[in-house]
């Protein structure tokens, strides 16, 4: 287990949210991946980080 400052978790959640907002505005992954799958992965990561708070 690694100790991470709570502020860093909040910042990471905001940055992941920005990624979702970009997907919602029509930006597509540069690697050609499925935007829907990326959105799902980002949401899963956000939920996991919220669980750590």
């Amino acid at each position: 287990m690694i100790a991470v400052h709570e502020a860093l978790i909040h910042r990471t959640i905001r940055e992941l949210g920005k990624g979702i907002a970009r997907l919602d505005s029509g930006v597509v992954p540069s690697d050609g991946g499925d935007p829907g799958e990326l959105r799902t992965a980002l949401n899963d990561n956000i939920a996991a980080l919220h669980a750590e708070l």
Side-chain angles (χ1 to χ4, degrees):
M1 202 170 231
I2 298 173
V4 176
H5 198 281
E6 189 173 322
L8 179 59
I9 295 173
H10 285 288
R11 172 68 186 218
T12 303
I13 289 169
R14 282 195 306 273
E15 292 299 319
L16 294 173
K18 288 179 184 180
I20 291 171
R22 288 185 182 111
L23 290 171
D24 290 343
S25 71
V27 175
V28 296
S30 60
D31 66 356
D34 179 21
E37 288 182 20
L38 179 56
R39 184 180 292 107
T40 299
L42 292 172
N43 279 322
D44 290 347
N45 288 328
I46 289 172
L49 287 169
H50 274 294
E52 295 297 323
L53 293 175

